């Protein structure tokens, strides 16, 4: 029986166009698995002095900026932050929402694009999933950090106790707690499951302590049909189940605000509005991370190509538009409703002393993506994309800042209005969680294969077909 | 990437972690133990003897019937009787010392109320509760000993058992927390 | 039955058809499907290799987890207010709308955790089929593992010769 | 008595202090080891875990409100009003409420001190025996005429005792004053009453039953004669007990809380109050178709309208409304009664009342039965003049802080230097105490004995009892006891003196009586004082007033770059409240500012001068200058600036020191012909300093004024 | 022990026509409830711990300008927005007293209740505020000294309610109208504050609450406040 496989792209290989396509699309530019493995492993195991310095700096940042200041805050009291009456939530919750938003990217990119079989996702699902997990880890700290008495946080956990008391399941914070726990656990598992074959790969190509770790984590993965079948099934369940969880998480985060009677928060549109905002900032963050990975790590230019930036750029544009739609919707209806307090609030946002935050939000979230991302060339310039997406994230941070401290400061009684200004502790803890995120990511980049090699190979092979009987089938399972 | 010895096998680190854990656990354990143990009193007051002679609790802890606090007896109360008694036991010698100089005895309360909680003796006494229901059988103790596990659940248990029809009122947060 | 030895042949992933052919020939040599196991670095469809569908209980386990999660959620939603009823904000003791949120989250949590546990449990559950591995698999090779009676060994080797397989020595080496 | 004194020994107790400390540590094993120290001997009136309530009298201002102080295990917990007390009927102002923070102040003087150097804190502690011996020595060695007593307005018992002592020593009568006197125009009322009614007693304005009230600057809700009594009066006035809800017109350059409570505020030009009152008097007489009284002979309606900035029509309308009312009433105080022509203003206000015949009428003017001791500023001036001339060798000071609250132009510090020995009885290290040679601290308000004769806000005779509710916290001693011991007065101790003083009340027809002194005394303390069953006022006659002729006050409009000054007392009273944290934390009713002083400037004026909110402004008068933070206050005449009184201490402990500014520095050392301090004529100029100092306010500037933050 | 006791409904009426804004209630509340002072910088930054505050707005332009004063404390809502959002039941409705209760022990400090309070009447313990000796001697033993990280608010002087209930029970009688006075009511020089049982038709507070002048703050939110205001400024009859 003749063994005959050919890549789809090979059919056009003669033309220059085909060569471009090949250059551009990872899926059409296959490399032997062994080589790809080697590239990934090399990227993972190359550590420069710069890397260690960065790791040390961010590690110190975590230690001092996050845990040092947090410790001081616990001992001294919440007053070391800039919160005040009536701004009881401020930068912490802003950053919390920001991180939770970031964490949507992994799931979105990985699960939704997986479900919709978007091929360009393949090389960067892992990077995005890592972002989800670490973003959540950083974000999930904030509900703890912002507690006045963090040493009693476990009272939010339902467990039978001597006080006869249970948590209040009517409280959005308990929903939050449950949702974030669910999301953190499931996204961690969702990161882990597709990682198993790659861990096995890493196991086969490492020695010493790395080998023992990978061996443990790879769960004796060999790659038998049964294992693949099981894994695929599990991934499928996750891909489908984690999407509603993801939507629920940010919806619930938005409900923290929307269920309250606070002016400017009590809005039914907050759920989708927050989700769109989260995906916008999440996808932008993926672009940022990919740019950094691509430009700092070895061999990554092969995996992370212009097509990736191009497609993500389109996504950012789409979500920026969707965000603008929701924003306008919310604004118009509030404005039209004519409730005096809301009008005051909106006027304040646009004209008050902190109007620059509001304008930053609009410029970064709407103007910049709209003006630039139409352009294919810009979408295909990684550095430009990096700058644009950074600005989008700045804008999204500004959005949350507007929603939280600025809105809380201007409630129904003008007598009690108050302006919040962050203090050293707020800022350093926020920076500390950024350090934590980067630190974890730096660590992970050298411990975990950042590219899901098997998925890439799978994708590349999916573009080859095999004759079976009368018809042709693709070689790999997924595209059946 | 091969290193001589991974950092996590560093003996110093392991010992350090072990020490920290030991201190934390030890602290917690000590905390638990000392709250369940009778504290050191300035005079080892023999409750068994006093209760045995038939002195009612309210003779010394007179506040229980009329107000929230049962109170500790003043030196006057002790000295009132003991002035007439011999002082040749070590405990009575100590009492004589306090009594003769009119210094208050620094008693350490045994049945303490957690902070932020208010307890009122009067309704409990009025409802006919005996002292020993909550304070144990002091006739068998010299210094008063705490009863472990007297927490909110303990209160609620009793309220539920004693007066299920009034449980809404008796489990109202405002009853104790203000 | 006579003693069996585990054998493994490897093909680069471009030689997929040879692998399929190998399985076909092994079957012809009287080696049962249960004694054959294909290991690969990418998931191949069962159809391609002409193998029987493997099966898994992950779905069932996940469903069971979801049911457990739902039960826990229900008991928390409706059980705990019963244990110590506390009135808040004029809301009923057993509000349906808020319970939906909790129910959803905990059901999903049950589903997802149990799915993962299912993967884990199925992994550590003893399975049929020949055990063996070669690190080359993760380099893009397809390995066909089979256990074959010692006496048939030569026959099989001969039968596979024209496919130019790579024979793995000592495939039962530890991972 | 000895029984009473010895009870102080009983109350040595500190358990709850430790307990409170432990509460802060939090729950857990720590609170297990709280040691609770019970009483060594249980006083019969203390019960474990139960509060004891004592009646006493507030000494925070001269009003003499009755208090019920809740004590718990020997500590004063909470000050409440005495519901039976006729002055305040259970109500109480912020200053009275925080008096526990006076007792338990962190900066008290804990025992008698011999100052090393005047003006410096920290001297050598001495024993009370030494202290008494020292005072005795001063009494013996100083010539009677060279001894001077300077006393505050509270308590009356000490004033009476000192008067006796002074006459025994052949020393001049004690001089008494209070900053509240000259800030609120109290002394002016006394002068007017002496002049026209023959008794130095405060008029009592029956606000409660009035129907229409013209208020010339009286801050009757804040301080004035008797804030609690008049607040109650305001309630009755608003509730319209005898008919409709009352209507109040307030004539004042600045809206105080009292002026703001009025239905109509007329921003009258400062200094024109007398003219307006007289004009209204005449117009009211016209409206009633009567001859205008003699006192209004010289007034020209047109000139009055021009001087005051109120149109003639408005004056006529107001006058006819006043005259047509069933129970009209005119009151006055504050800056209106603090100028050179304060006496004329007060007379005019009384004339306005007299012209509608409301003397001795419900809703009208009465005369409080108690005679008030003179509290003229001129006497203080004279005393300091005497000191400056070196004719005072020994000065005893109690209850006042002249270095703080007298006009800086008087230069009290300089006069002090000429006095050989100054003995202060202050409980707190205030400016005056530090500038003296000996500080022999008196008990604070809730620790000492005494009585206070109620001088205002009532038509009955009231003697309010002051008794200790707690054992003195520190090694302080009652000044009365010190003076009795050192001066050789024929009393055993202070309580003996008080008992003898109240002896005549036994048969004076009060709400209670007793056959013998001990039980009368017990009831006196129990009820918080003695008072008559019903009103007992001497009827007053308006004739002398209406027939008199007074000199027409000259309006003194401010030049373009100068501003009229309005100074008003706040919750800090005469400034002695400035060491109480919770008075600081209580927002000012008008501005909501806390913990600092400010200067109120009209927004237009501020704009003109380029002053913004929170700018530090220099306020300069002919006599001195101070710096204060600008507060743009919309309810103020543009040609006027207003300053709160009470802050700006250089001493008095951590909460007072260096906080705010002291308007007394701007005051002239000028008394009018009738002896009141004429500060209201002061003109000041404003200049921005370029500094900014945001002050703590409870209101949101952005929310309320639409700017800032 | 009495059987089914009818739910008491403590309520308060504030007559804005009588309120002069004198702040006596603010001080009285602080002295009764062990409210710590925070100092100039902290209060300036909006961290004063006043349980009751007098909102002062300006009405009109000079010279027709005048301030309005409105004391605002916890409105003890029947349907309190602060309660359902607390994850740990620290802010709960007392079925017995029909007031809102803040349970300090239970509070973990999410501050959600404060955000959700439309009256902004909750304050937070940003620090452990010192109560140095001897200042601490005047602390009210019936009221908890709060520690850092917990939310607090006006309690309608629940310690006084409890004390009165306890005394009445011991004496075997019902609580009389006017027996429980809140600290602010007790101090209020013009008697603008009335407190009592709203469920009893004849009580002073329920009579006052039935006045035509009555309104509730932010009534449109459906929070069912227990504090009723009477319109001031001569707005009689409407």
């Amino acid at each position: 029986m003749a063994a005959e496989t050919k890549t789809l792209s090979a059919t056009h290989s003669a033309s220059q166009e085909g060569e471009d396509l090949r250059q551009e699309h990872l899926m059409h530019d296959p490399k032997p698995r062994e080589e790809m493995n080697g590239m990934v492993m090399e990227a993972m195991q190359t550590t420069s002095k710069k890397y260690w310095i960065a790791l040390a700096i961010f590690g110190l940042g975590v230690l001092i900026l996050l845990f040092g200041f947090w410790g001081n805050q616990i001992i001294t009291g919440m007053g070391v932050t800039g919160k005040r009456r009536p701004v009881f939530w401020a930068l912490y919750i802003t950053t919390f929402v920001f991180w939770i938003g970031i964490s949507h990217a992994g799931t979105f990119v990985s699960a939704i694009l997986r479900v919709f079989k978007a091929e360009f996702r393949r090389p960067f699902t892992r990077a995005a999933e890592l972002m989800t997990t670490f973003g959540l880890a950083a974000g999930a700290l904030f509900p703890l950090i912002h507690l006045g008495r963090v040493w009693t946080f476990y009272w939010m956990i339902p467990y039978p106790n001597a006080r006869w008391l249970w948590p209040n399941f009517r409280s959005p914070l308990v929903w939050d707690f449950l949702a974030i726990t669910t999301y953190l656990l499931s996204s961690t598992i969702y990161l882990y499951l597709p990682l198993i074959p790659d861990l096995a790969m890493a196991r086969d190509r490492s020695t010493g302590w790395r080998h023992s770790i990978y061996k443990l984590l790879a769960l004796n993965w060999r790659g038998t049909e049964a294992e693949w079948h099981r894994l695929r099934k599990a991934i499928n369940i996750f891909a489908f189940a984690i999407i509603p969880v993801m939507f629920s998480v940010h919806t619930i985060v938005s409900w923290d605000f929307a269920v309250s009677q606070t002016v400017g928060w009590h809005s039914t549109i907050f759920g989708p509005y927050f989700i769109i905002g989260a995906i916008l900032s999440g996808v932008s963050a993926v672009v940022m991370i990919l740019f950094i990975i691509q430009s700092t790590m070895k061999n990554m230019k092969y995996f992370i190509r212009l097509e990736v930036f191009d497609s993500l750029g389109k996504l950012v544009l789409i979500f920026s538009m969707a965000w603008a739609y929701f924003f306008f919707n919310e604004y118009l209806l509030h404005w039209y409703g004519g409730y005096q307090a809301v009008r005051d609030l909106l006027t304040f946002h646009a004209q008050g002393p902190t109007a620059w935050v509001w304008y930053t939000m609009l410029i970064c979230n709407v103007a910049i993506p709209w003006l630039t991302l139409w352009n294919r060339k810009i979408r295909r310039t990684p550095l430009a994309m990096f700058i644009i997406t950074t600005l989008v994230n700045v804008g999204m941070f500004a959005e949350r800042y507007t929603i939280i401290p600025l809105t809380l400061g201007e409630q129904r009684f003008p007598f009690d209005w108050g302006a919040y200004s962050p203090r050293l502790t707020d800022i350093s803890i926020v920076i500390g969680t950024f350090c934590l995120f980067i630190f974890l990511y730096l660590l992970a980049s050298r411990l975990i294969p950042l590219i899901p090699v098997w998925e890439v190979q799978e994708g590349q092979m999916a573009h080859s077909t095999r004759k079976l009987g009368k018809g042709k089938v693709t070689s790999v399972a997924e595209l059946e | 990437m091969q290193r001589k010895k991974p950092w996590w096998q560093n003996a110093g680190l392991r010992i350090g972690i072990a020490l920290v854990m030991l201190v934390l656990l030890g602290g917690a354990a000590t905390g638990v133990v000392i709250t369940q143990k009778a504290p050191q009193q300035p005079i080892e007051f023999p409750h068994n003897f006093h209760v045995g002679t038939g002195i009612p609790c309210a003779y010394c802890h007179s506040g229980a019937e009329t107000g929230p606090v049962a109170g500790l007896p003043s030196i006057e109360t002790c000295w009132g009787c003991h002035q007439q008694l011999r002082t040749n036991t070590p405990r009575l010698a100590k009492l004589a010392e306090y009594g003769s100089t009119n210094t208050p005895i620094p008693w350490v309360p045994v049945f303490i109320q957690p902070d932020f909680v208010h307890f009122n003796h009067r309704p409990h006494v009025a409802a006919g509760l005996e002292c020993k229901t909550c304070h144990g059988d002091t006739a068998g103790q010299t210094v008063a000993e705490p009863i472990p596990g007297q927490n909110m659940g303990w209160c609620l248990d009793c309220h539920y058992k004693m007066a299920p029809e009034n449980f809404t009122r008796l489990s109202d947060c405002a009853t104790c927390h203000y | 039955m006579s003693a069996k030895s585990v054998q493994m042949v490897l093909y680069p992933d471009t030689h997929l058809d040879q692998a399929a052919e190998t399985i076909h020939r092994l079957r012809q040599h009287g080696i049962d499907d249960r004694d054959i196991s294909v290991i690969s670095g990418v998931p191949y469809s069962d159809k391609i290799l002409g193998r029987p569908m493997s099966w898994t209980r992950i779905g069932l386990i996940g469903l069971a987890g979801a049911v457990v999660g739902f039960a826990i959620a229900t008991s928390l939603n409706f059980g705990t207010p019963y244990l110590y009823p506390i009135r808040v904000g004029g809301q009923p003791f057993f509000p349906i709308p808020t319970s939906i949120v909790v129910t959803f989250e905990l059901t999903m949590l049950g589903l997802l955790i149990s799915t993962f546990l299912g993967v884990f449990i199925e992994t550590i559950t003893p399975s049929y089929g020949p055990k063996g591995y070669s690190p080359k698999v993760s380099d893009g090779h397809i390995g066909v593992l089979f256990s074959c009676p010692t006496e048939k060994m030569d026959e099989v080797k001969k039968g596979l010769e024209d496919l130019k397989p790579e024979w793995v020595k000592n495939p039962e080496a530890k991972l | 008595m000895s029984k009473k004194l010895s009870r102080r020994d009983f109350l040595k107790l500190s358990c709850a202090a430790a307990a409170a400390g432990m509460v802060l540590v939090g729950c857990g094993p720590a609170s297990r080891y709280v040691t609770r120290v019970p009483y060594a001997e249980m006083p019969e009136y203390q019960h474990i875990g139960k509060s004891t309530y004592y009646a006493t009298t507030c000494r925070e201002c001269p009003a003499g409100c009755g208090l019920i102080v809740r004590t718990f295990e020997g500590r004063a917990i909470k000050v409440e009003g005495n519901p039976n007390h006729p002055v305040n009927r259970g109500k109480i102002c912020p200053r009275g409420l925080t008096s526990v923070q006076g007792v338990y102040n962190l900066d008290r003087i804990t025992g008698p001190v011999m100052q090393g150097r005047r003006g410096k804190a920290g001297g050598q502690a001495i024993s009370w025996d030494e202290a008494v011996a020292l005072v005795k020595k001063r009494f013996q060695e100083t010539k009677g005429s060279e001894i001077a007593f300077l006393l505050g307005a509270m308590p009356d018992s000490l004033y009476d005792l000192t008067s006796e002592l002074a006459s025994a020593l052949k020393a001049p009568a004690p001089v008494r004053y209070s900053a509240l006197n000259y800030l609120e125009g109290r002394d002016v009322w006394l002068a007017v009453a002496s002049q026209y009614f023959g008794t130095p007693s405060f008029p009592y304005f029956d606000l409660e039953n009035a129907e229409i009230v013209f208020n010339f600057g009286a801050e009757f809700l804040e301080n004035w004669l008797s804030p609690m009594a008049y607040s109650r009066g305001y309630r009755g006035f608003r509730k319209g007990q005898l008919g409709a809800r009352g209507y109040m017109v307030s004539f004042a350059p600045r809206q105080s809380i009292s002026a703001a409570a009025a239905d109509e505020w007329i921003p009258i030009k400062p200094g024109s109050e007398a003219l307006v009152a007289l004009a209204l008097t005449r117009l009211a007489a016209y409206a009633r178709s009567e001859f205008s009284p003699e006192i209004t002979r010289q007034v020209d309606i047109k000139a009055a309208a021009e001087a005051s900035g109120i149109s003639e029509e408005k004056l006529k309308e107001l006058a006819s409304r006043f005259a047509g009312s069933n129970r009209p009433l005119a009151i006055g105080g504050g800056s209106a009664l603090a100028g050179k022509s304060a006496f004329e203003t007060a007379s005019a206000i009384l004339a306005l009342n007299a012209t509608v015949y409301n003397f001795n009428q419900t809703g009208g003017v009465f005369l409080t039965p108690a005679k008030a001791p003179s509290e003229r500023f001129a006497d203080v001036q004279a005393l300091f003049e005497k000191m400056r001339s070196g004719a005072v060798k020994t000065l005893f000071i109690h209850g006042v802080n002249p270095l703080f609250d007298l006009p800086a132009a008087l230069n009290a510090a300089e006069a002090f230097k000429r006095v050989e020995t100054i003995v202060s009885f202050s409980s707190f290290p205030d400016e005056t105490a530090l500038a003296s040679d000996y500080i022999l601290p008196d008990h604070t308000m809730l620790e000492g004995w005494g009585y206070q004769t109620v001088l205002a806000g009532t038509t009955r005779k009231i003697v309010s009892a002051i008794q200790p509710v707690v054992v003195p916290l520190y090694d302080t001693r009652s000044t009365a006891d010190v003076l009795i011991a050192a001066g050789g007065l024929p009393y055993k101790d202070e309580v003996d003196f008080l008992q003898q003083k109240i002896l005549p009340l036994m048969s004076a027809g009060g709400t209670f009586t007793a056959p013998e002194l001990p039980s009368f005394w017990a009831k006196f303390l129990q009820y918080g004082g003695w008072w008559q069953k019903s009103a007992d006022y001497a009827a007053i006659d308006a004739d002398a007033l209406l027939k008199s002729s007074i000199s027409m006050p000259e309006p003194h409009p401010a030049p373009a770059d100068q501003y009229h000054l309005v100074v008003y007392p706040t919750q800090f009273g005469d400034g002695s409240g400035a060491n109480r944290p919770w008075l600081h934390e209580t927002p000012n009713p008008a501005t909501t500012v806390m913990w600092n002083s400010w200067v109120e400037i009209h927004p237009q004026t501020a704009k003109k001068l380029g002053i913004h909110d929170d700018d530090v402004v220099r306020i300069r008068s002919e006599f001195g200058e101070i710096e204060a933070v600008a507060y743009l206050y919309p309810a103020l005449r543009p040609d006027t600036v207003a300053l709160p009184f009470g802050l700006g201490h250089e001493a008095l402990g951590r909460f007072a020191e260096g906080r705010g500014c002291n308007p007394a520095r701007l005051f002239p050392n000028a008394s009018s012909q009738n002896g009141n301090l004429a500060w209201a004529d002061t003109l000041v100029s404003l200049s921005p300093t370029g500094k900014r100092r945001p002050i703590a306010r409870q209101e949101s500037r952005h929310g309320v004024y639409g700017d800032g933050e | 022990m009495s059987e089914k006791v009818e739910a008491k409904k403590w309520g308060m009426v504030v007559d804005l026509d009588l309120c002069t804004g004198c702040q006596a209630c603010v001080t009285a509340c602080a002295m009764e409830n062990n409210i710590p002072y925070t100092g100039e910088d902290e209060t300036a930054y909006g961290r004063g711990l006043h349980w009751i505050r007098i909102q002062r707005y300006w009405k009109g332009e000079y010279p027709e300008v005048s301030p309005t004063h409105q004391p605002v404390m916890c409105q003890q809502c029947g349907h309190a927005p602060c309660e359902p959002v607390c994850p740990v039941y620290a802010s709960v409705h007392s079925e017995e007293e029909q007031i809102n209760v803040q349970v300090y022990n239970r509070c973990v400090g999410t501050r959600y209740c404060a955000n959700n309070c439309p009256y902004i009447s909750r304050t937070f313990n940003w620090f452990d505020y010192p109560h140095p000796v001897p200042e601490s001697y005047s602390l009210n033993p019936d009221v908890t000294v709060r520690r850092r990280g917990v939310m607090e608010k006006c309690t309608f002087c629940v310690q006084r309610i409890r004390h009165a209930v306890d005394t009445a029970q011991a004496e075997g009688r019902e609580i009389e109208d006017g027996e429980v006075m809140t600290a602010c009511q007790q101090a209020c020089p013009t008697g603008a504050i009335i407190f009592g049982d709203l469920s009893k038709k004849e009580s002073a507070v329920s009579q006052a609450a039935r006045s035509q002048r009555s309104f509730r703050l932010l009534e449109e939110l459906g929070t069912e406040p227990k504090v009723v205001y009477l319109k001031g400024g001569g707005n009689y009859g409407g």
Side-chain angles (χ1 to χ4, degrees), chain E residues 25-218:
Chain E
C25 49
V26 176
T27 321
C29 176
M31 301 318 285
E32 169 75 15
N33 290 305
N34 299 341
I35 302 177
Y37 54 88
T38 55
E40 183 170 10
D41 295 343
E42 288 291 297
T43 43
Y45 194 59
R47 292 201 189 145
L49 292 170
H50 312 81
W51 282 5
I52 175 171
R53 66 194 190 283
I54 296 181
Q55 293 189 345
R56 196 238 43 223
Y57 296 105
W58 293 104
K59 203 172 60 190
E61 287 291 321
Y62 179 85
E64 263 83 48
V65 65
S66 77
T68 59
H69 297 280
Q70 181 162 38
V72 180
M73 70 298 284
C74 172
Q75 307 284 306
Q76 311 286 359
C77 308
H79 288 175
C82 56
E83 288 167 356
V85 298
C86 178
V88 293
Y89 285 123
S91 172
V92 296
H93 194 71
S94 164
E95 302 241 29
E96 173 68 6
E97 317 292 356
Q98 293 293 320
I99 58 173
N100 299 100
V101 180
Q102 178 69 17
V103 184
Y104 307 121
N105 322 40
R106 189 65 179 162
C107 180
V108 298
T110 66
R111 302 187 296 289
Y112 198 171
C113 50
N115 277 345
N116 207 11
C117 175
Y119 309 99
I120 322 184
S121 59
R122 293 176 155 256
T123 60
F124 187 70
N125 282 271
W126 303 104
F127 298 103
D128 273 332
Y129 296 98
H131 289 275
V133 174
E135 217 169 77
S136 60
Y137 285 7
S138 62
L139 290 178
N140 186 347
D142 295 343
V143 180
T144 306
V145 173
R146 283 80 57 187
R147 68 179 306 186
R148 68 178 189 274
V150 301
M151 195 49 85
E152 60 182 52
K153 64 164 189 87
C154 161
T155 61
F156 264 4
C157 285
V158 64
Q159 71 279 6
R160 292 181 174 215
I161 298 178
R162 294 305 315 164
H163 184 260
V165 167
D166 181 38
T167 313
Q169 213 170 52
E171 292 169 8
R173 59 173 172 87
E174 289 282 298
I175 295 185
E176 290 158 24
D177 187 33
E179 190 174 344
V180 187
M181 285 182 118
T182 60
C184 51
Q185 174 198 20
Q186 197 176 25
C188 180
T190 55
I193 301 175
I194 311 167
F195 179 77
D197 192 338
L198 276 177
S199 68
K200 290 186 182 151
K201 282 269 178 295
E202 70 284 5
S203 69
V205 70
S206 71
Q207 286 178 9
R210 288 198 295 272
S211 157
Q212 285 198 322
R213 291 191 286 143
S214 71
F215 71 99
R216 291 166 203 238
L217 270 188
L218 305 178

Side-chain angles (χ1 to χ4, degrees), chain D residues 399-528:
Chain D
V400 275
N401 188 0
L403 291 193
F404 171 77
D405 56 21
L406 287 182
L410 180 66
N411 210 349
E414 201 54 47
F416 268 26
K417 285 192 185 139
R418 306 292 303 276
V419 182
E420 248 170 45
T421 310
I422 302 176
V423 180
S424 166
F425 296 105
S426 177
S427 311
F428 301 100
D430 57 26
E431 289 87 343
T432 310
L434 292 184
S436 47
D437 302 294
Y438 301 95
I439 311 173
L440 312 181
D442 191 4
H443 302 318
T444 52
M445 171 174 138
L446 301 178
E447 302 167 328
W449 295 99
Y451 59 77
Q452 181 81 3
T453 314
V454 176
L455 303 172
T458 179
T459 49
R460 312 187 210 183
K461 276 204 187 90
I462 302 169
V463 178
S464 202
I466 302 173
Q467 67 166 327
V469 303
V470 288
V471 156
L473 187 63
Y474 296 117
D475 184 21
T476 54
R477 186 171 288 191
S478 160
T479 302
D481 274 339
V482 173
L483 294 180
I484 289 168
L489 288 175
Y491 304 108
K492 208 161 77 213
D493 55 21
E494 186 180 13
V495 172
D496 185 32
F497 165 76
L498 297 174
Q499 287 177 343
Q500 297 207 24
K501 282 285 162 193
I502 65 163
L503 211 49
L505 299 178
M506 274 172 73
S507 53
T511 45
F512 61 85
T513 186
E516 75 281 351
L517 184 62
S519 52
F520 182 76
W521 171 247
K523 281 189 176 171
F524 180 67
L525 296 182
Q526 186 191 344
Y527 290 116

Side-chain angles (χ1 to χ4, degrees), chain A residues 74-79 81-85 88-89 146-149 152 155 166-168 170-171 173 256 260-262 339 408 412-416 421 423, chain E residues 45-47 53-57 84-89 104-112 114-116 118-120 122 126-127 148-150 218 220-221:
Chain A
I74 292 170
I75 292 164
T76 321
M78 191 47 76
T81 66
K83 288 189 241 340
R84 56 169 292 182
R85 208 175 67 106
F88 288 97
W89 288 355
H146 108 293
L147 282 188
R149 302 205 302 162
T152 56
W155 287 349
W166 295 85
N168 177 7
R170 284 159 275 187
S171 164
L173 290 187
D256 283 354
S260 76
Q261 301 207 332
T262 309
Y339 186 47
L408 279 177
R412 291 181 179 87
F413 293 143
F415 184 82
D416 293 305
S421 55
R423 295 195 183 165
Chain E
Y45 194 59
R47 292 201 189 145
R53 66 194 190 283
I54 296 181
Q55 293 189 345
R56 196 238 43 223
Y57 296 105
V85 298
C86 178
V88 293
Y89 285 123
Y104 307 121
N105 322 40
R106 189 65 179 162
C107 180
V108 298
T110 66
R111 302 187 296 289
Y112 198 171
N115 277 345
N116 207 11
Y119 309 99
I120 322 184
R122 293 176 155 256
W126 303 104
F127 298 103
R148 68 178 189 274
V150 301
L218 305 178
E220 69 274 18
L221 295 179

Side-chain angles (χ1 to χ4, degrees), chain A residues 413-439:
Chain A
F413 293 143
F415 184 82
D416 293 305
W417 286 1
Y420 159 83
S421 55
R423 295 195 183 165
L424 185 63
T425 305
D426 308 52
I427 294 167
S428 26
I429 288 183
V430 166
I431 295 174
T433 55
F434 278 92
C435 289
L436 178 71
F437 178 85
I438 297 170
F439 179 75

